[in-house]
Amino acid sequence: MALLKKQPRSKFYELLQAQIHNEFNASQQYIALAVWFDAEDLPQLAKHFYKQSVEERNHGMALVQYMLDTDHHVEIPGTGDVRNDFSDVRELIELALQQEKDVATDIQQLAKAARAEEDYIGEQFTQWFLKEQVEEISQMSTLLNIVKRADGNLFEVENHLHRESVGDGGTDSSMPPVAGGAL
């Protein structure tokens, strides 16, 4: 009996696999930012980025669940390099904003690949992530503006985060299922 030869993955599924790495790496980078803020005795900023880390982890695990649900092999990757050294709060927020913009570009490429392959279910799956990136970029842009306006007074940034609960919208019931359950 001959073994069935597996078909190569489509570009869409290769990009999904790569995006799992990107999401886990973003999660690790956000932990590094949170720890930096913790070390600087900025608890609201630390709390915000610890939550962002969990959110990115959940995004990665939603991609894992989708691949499992569509009967694709999933490889759990290591993460890439994480930056830990910063000299100014603005650097951290600018890094986070750029990271969110990069993820948005990656998700757009996923959506394009699904459409090009006429994978309408895959394209529909990416729509939630596209919407999420609009929100993430907006929130991080706002946080960067607050940091700039505070002009070095980080207690104003802390007060803003405490008062406004930036990025603390709670559980999104429209989020795709997360492998193992969302944290």
Side-chain angles (χ1 to χ4, degrees), residues 67-80:
M67 288 183 72
L68 291 170
D69 289 347
T70 56
D71 202 28
H72 284 83
H73 175 73
V74 180
E75 294 178 14
I76 301 302
T79 61

Side-chain angles (χ1 to χ4, degrees), residues 21-95:
H21 170 269
N22 295 344
E23 297 291 342
F24 289 161
N25 195 66
S27 178
Q28 290 296 101
Q29 184 61 67
Y30 281 147
I31 289 172
L33 300 182
V35 167
W36 190 93
F37 286 124
D38 245 350
E40 295 295 318
D41 294 322
L42 297 164
Q44 295 303 316
L45 282 158
K47 178 181 173 183
H48 176 72
F49 283 100
Y50 283 127
K51 284 182 181 180
Q52 287 296 117
S53 173
V54 170
E55 188 174 287
E56 298 302 331
R57 176 262 182 209
N58 285 341
H59 294 170
M61 294 304 285
L63 296 170
V64 167
Q65 187 63 56
Y66 180 78
M67 288 183 72
L68 291 170
D69 289 347
T70 56
D71 202 28
H72 284 83
H73 175 73
V74 180
E75 294 178 14
I76 301 302
T79 61
D81 292 336
V82 172
R83 183 174 171 194
N84 288 284
D85 296 318
F86 302 93
S87 60
D88 180 84
V89 170
R90 189 182 289 193
E91 284 182 71
L92 286 87
I93 309 303
E94 287 171 344
L95 174 70

Side-chain angles (χ1 to χ4, degrees), residues 74-183:
V74 180
E75 294 178 14
I76 301 302
T79 61
D81 292 336
V82 172
R83 183 174 171 194
N84 288 284
D85 296 318
F86 302 93
S87 60
D88 180 84
V89 170
R90 189 182 289 193
E91 284 182 71
L92 286 87
I93 309 303
E94 287 171 344
L95 174 70
L97 176 57
Q98 187 57 54
Q99 182 171 278
E100 293 299 345
K101 287 179 178 179
D102 292 345
V103 168
T105 299
D106 294 339
I107 301 295
Q108 289 171 356
Q109 293 305 311
L110 272 168
K112 285 179 186 178
R115 181 173 286 177
E117 295 168 8
E118 298 183 356
D119 181 347
Y120 302 113
I121 294 170
E123 183 180 357
Q124 184 275 330
F125 174 72
T126 64
Q127 298 306 302
W128 182 88
F129 290 92
L130 289 169
K131 177 185 79 66
E132 176 70 7
Q133 285 314 118
V134 169
E135 293 171 11
E136 293 295 327
I137 290 168
S138 175
Q139 289 174 357
M140 212 56 72
S141 293
T142 297
L143 185 54
L144 181 57
N145 286 335
I146 297 301
V147 167
K148 288 176 182 177
R149 287 182 193 132
D151 195 28
N153 185 347
L154 298 179
F155 294 109
E156 288 300 322
V157 178
E158 288 281 288
N159 287 334
H160 171 80
L161 282 173
H162 180 71
R163 187 177 58 250
E164 299 297 325
S165 300
V166 174
D168 194 20
T171 304
D172 181 351
S173 63
S174 68
M175 182 178 177
V178 174
L183 297 180

